[in-house]
Amino acid sequence: MSADPKETRTTNAGWQERKQAAIARGQGNIAPVYIERGLNAELWDVEGKRYIDFGTGIAVCNTGHSNPRIVAAVKDQVERFSHTCVMVTPYDTAVRLAEQLNGLAPGDTPKKSIFVTTGAEAVENAVKIARAHTGRRGVIAFNGGFHGRTMLAMGLTGKITPYKNLFGPFPAEIYHAPFPIEYHGVSVKDSLKALHTLFKADIAPTDVAAIIVEPVQGEGGFYPAPDEFLQELRNVCDAHGIVMIADEIQTGFGRTGRFFAVEYAGIEPDLVTIAKGIAGGYPLAAVTGKAEIMDAPLPGGLGGTYAGSPLACAAALEVIEIIREEQLVARALQIGARFKSRLAALQERYPETIGHLRCERGAMIAMELVEGGDAARPAVDLTKDLVASASENGLVLLSCGINGNVIRFLPALTISDALIDEGLDILEGCIGRLLAA
Ligand SMILES: Cc1ncc(COP(=O)(O)O)c(C=O)c1O
């Protein structure tokens, strides 16, 4: 076989050129940086340049890149077998993992779980389970929410660009209500009032199968749902026999300083969707919920060929051990506090630009960039420039927000204080230079 002449290109720019020719533009990438290896909170690209990672592959590698304990668990599993299909000839790791999730999910009601492969699939299946249990059709989600890229999950998503443009029509019987964000003038009262209007104008509560809510909106801008809002949603669901689904795909697995973020509100959701941080980088997702509701679908109605892959289950069992032994849930709170003190000082220096900080949910931290200190004037270009400049200076940063003007920080829960400080030094330098320019 003749050597591929293009193989000599080992630069980021070379790979980006090949990527653009080979992979459709819909699957865009934030930074033209091609990773060769990662360890804990650091990455190295094909040019040998080092990056501090404040993104963890979008809240996935909470236990760090290539955590040696997870690598060992997966190696051990892959040497024994890598796939049989959990729906054909299952294996003990899936059962042990389900038992763990059932114990970790908030509340005392007996739980059961199912496994799938991606977050969007977990959302789809949670809705299927809620519909099977209630015999109802409607699903209520929130403006600014993000639930995935499959048709139903997109339908539930409350952010048009880039997720929904060009892709409709979406499944029917999905309704959106405003999500409470004080910074943008939507109070808990406003939001609940709109929900009750929806019950009068669009769908009777007795026709609603489920309400799905992120305890902290992720893609939408890292806005925590106020405790009283989640508590009132719980009451509404109880009053009308509606299944409450907490989408903990981004917030789960210790990220927010609780194992699941709804714990802040002290409520027990009926179903929880889980993915991302569950398996430290291996594709795995789950729905965990009240056993009576989870058992509504018929045998064979839920699943998928790769659902609960043995490799991912082995990784996830190790992730749970690591979180427990290294007390990473508590560590998330320390990380949040460290970011908060540095970001608050930065906000004091640039009050017109750093409009709002959100540091009250552990290591799910955000900084909203605006013009002239005005919440209604999102600094979209500055946000894009900051992400690009950080990358050029060795820091992986992610943005989010319905207007694309929020910098979100999602470091590994295993990151050292020294790396946090070094990353924030890079961030400060980049902001300073961009604002001076
Ligand atoms: C809250 C939430 N739900 C669902 C999803 C979809 O997960 P996946 O991309 O694994 O399908 C995401 C992904 O970012 C998410 O943050």
Side-chain angles (χ1 to χ4, degrees):
M1 212 168 70
S2 63
D4 177 355
K6 291 182 193 155
E7 212 49 69
T8 51
R9 292 190 211 173
T10 53
T11 61
N12 289 312
W15 282 113
Q16 184 67 6
E17 195 186 324
R18 282 176 72 170
K19 188 234 167 187
Q20 273 163 348
I23 298 180
R25 66 175 188 160
Q27 205 161 61
N29 54 311
I30 290 170
V33 169
Y34 285 74
I35 297 304
E36 197 163 73
R37 70 193 169 89
L39 189 62
N40 197 8
E42 292 166 283
L43 294 166
W44 286 266
D45 73 12
V46 289
E47 298 175 13
K49 181 171 162 179
R50 165 188 173 263
Y51 300 79
I52 295 169
D53 186 8
F54 279 178
T56 49
I58 321 187
V60 170
C61 298
N62 292 359
T63 40
H65 293 287
S66 293
N67 186 307
R69 291 179 55 174
I70 300 173
V71 171
V74 173
K75 268 189 183 163
D76 176 65
Q77 178 61 51
V78 82
E79 277 165 11
R80 291 187 295 116
F81 66 96
S82 56
H83 178 77
T84 61
C85 188
V86 79
M87 298 149 68
V88 179
T89 47
Y91 27 86
D92 66 305
T93 44
V95 179
R96 289 195 286 125
L97 181 58
E99 288 167 354
Q100 292 277 352
L101 295 179
N102 297 342
L104 286 164
D108 295 335
T109 313
K111 305 285 191 314
K112 285 193 175 183
S113 293
I114 59 141
F115 294 112
V116 284
T117 312
T118 65
E121 264 187 286
V123 167
E124 296 262 342
N125 279 280
V127 172
K128 282 164 65 177
I129 293 164
R131 282 184 171 157
H133 171 71
T134 57
R136 301 176 183 176
R137 55 195 170 85
V139 188
I140 295 175
F142 292 92
N143 297 345
F146 181 79
H147 300 288
R149 288 179 166 85
T150 54
M151 280 296 180
L152 175 59
M154 257 190 305
L156 294 169
T157 289
K159 181 178 172 188
I160 298 287
T161 306
Y163 307 120
K164 299 175 83 156
N165 324 43
L166 310 177
F167 297 135
F170 302 110
E173 301 299 347
I174 294 170
Y175 302 87
H176 285 95
F179 188 81
I181 304 174
E182 282 289 352
Y183 182 59
H184 290 290
V186 184
S187 67
V188 169
K189 216 170 140 197
D190 295 334
S191 187
L192 291 171
K193 195 171 162 207
L195 181 66
H196 289 289
T197 304
L198 207 142
F199 287 153
K200 291 224 169 357
D202 293 306
I203 184 165
T206 45
D207 283 333
V208 178
I211 296 181
I212 184 165
V213 63
E214 292 164 272
V216 181
Q217 278 200 337
E219 299 297 309
F222 274 35
Y223 299 105
D227 293 347
E228 66 271 28
F229 178 65
L230 293 176
Q231 288 156 0
E232 194 44 36
L233 286 186
R234 179 67 275 178
N235 292 339
V236 167
C237 287
D238 286 342
H240 300 291
I242 298 169
V243 173
M244 180 176 187
I245 304 172
D247 184 344
E248 294 261 10
I249 285 166
Q250 194 156 163
T251 50
F253 266 70
R255 170 60 56 191
T256 67
R258 298 285 185 273
F259 204 93
F260 290 109
V262 278
E263 292 170 34
Y264 278 101
I267 55 155
E268 179 175 5
D270 298 306
L271 303 177
V272 181
T273 52
I274 307 168
K276 292 189 181 282
I278 184 176
Y282 295 83
L284 183 68
V287 183
T288 297
K290 294 180 179 168
E292 187 204 343
I293 300 176
M294 289 294 295
D295 271 335
L298 299 174
L302 308 174
T305 304
Y306 295 109
S309 145
L311 304 181
C313 286
L317 285 168
E318 202 57 38
V319 164
I320 293 171
E321 283 293 301
I322 295 168
I323 292 177
R324 282 205 179 107
E325 283 172 26
E326 298 184 16
Q327 298 180 9
L328 295 184
V329 179
R331 176 66 187 147
L333 293 174
Q334 291 171 357
I335 292 172
R338 199 166 189 95
F339 269 82
K340 185 177 180 176
S341 64
R342 288 284 302 269
L343 294 177
L346 203 60
Q347 189 183 31
E348 257 177 46
R349 207 180 314 156
Y350 306 115
E352 298 285 288
T353 303
I354 302 179
H356 197 232
L357 293 178
R358 294 185 277 284
C359 307
E360 63 274 56
R361 289 292 185 266
M364 194 163 177
I365 304 149
M367 174 172 92
E368 186 154 344
L369 302 180
V370 297
E371 288 170 9
D374 183 352
R377 291 171 56 204
V380 182
D381 290 340
L382 176 67
T383 308
K384 278 192 197 134
D385 293 346
L386 183 55
V387 170
S389 158
S391 170
E392 281 156 23
N393 285 280
L395 176 67
V396 177
L397 274 190
L398 302 176
S399 62
C400 65
I402 198 144
N403 296 310
N405 67 322
V406 177
I407 297 287
R408 55 173 151 173
F409 303 96
L410 290 161
L413 306 182
T414 47
I415 193 171
S416 66
D417 285 346
L419 274 187
I420 294 175
D421 291 345
E422 195 184 331
L424 289 171
D425 288 343
I426 298 174
L427 176 86
E428 271 184 39
C430 293
I431 293 190
R433 282 188 296 277
L434 287 169
L435 291 178

